[in-house]
Amino acid sequence: QLFEGGMIIQWGNFSVAAASASSTSVTFPIAFPLFCLHGIVNVDDAATDQIGTISKTKTGMTIQKGANDTWARAGTWIAIGY
């Protein structure tokens, strides 16, 4: 979704493997022209440990879960940028 002033909001789904500290890379549908301000992650089922973004670029971000979490996780993400 492109807003007046150039702000872009994008969203999608992700899944992370069951192994502890697993991560997955998400490629944005549209590369941000300047930068990704923030990536937000939501887990569909209750997580026993933390999950979030560990890196983000204009073209994507990496989602990683905690070292003590040994369940496969799935959910949604939102990225905001310009």
Side-chain angles (χ1 to χ4, degrees):
Q1 179 72 43
L2 176 61
F3 292 92
E4 188 174 327
M7 183 169 61
I8 301 170
I9 298 178
Q10 303 184 60
W11 56 89
N13 299 312
F14 73 91
S15 60
V16 181
S20 66
S22 291
S23 64
T24 189
S25 295
V26 169
T27 301
F28 299 141
I30 301 167
F32 290 107
L34 299 175
F35 50 85
C36 177
L37 287 171
H38 193 62
I40 303 163
V41 179
N42 182 57
V43 179
D44 288 341
D45 55 350
T48 60
D49 206 359
Q50 296 178 341
I51 190 166
T53 60
I54 59 171
S55 66
K56 58 186 182 304
T57 67
K58 294 189 289 186
T59 59
M61 64 183 173
T62 301
I63 299 169
Q64 183 173 340
K65 63 184 191 144
N68 295 325
D69 188 347
T70 57
W71 289 85
R73 301 291 177 192
T76 55
W77 59 266
I78 296 173
I80 302 167
Y82 288 92

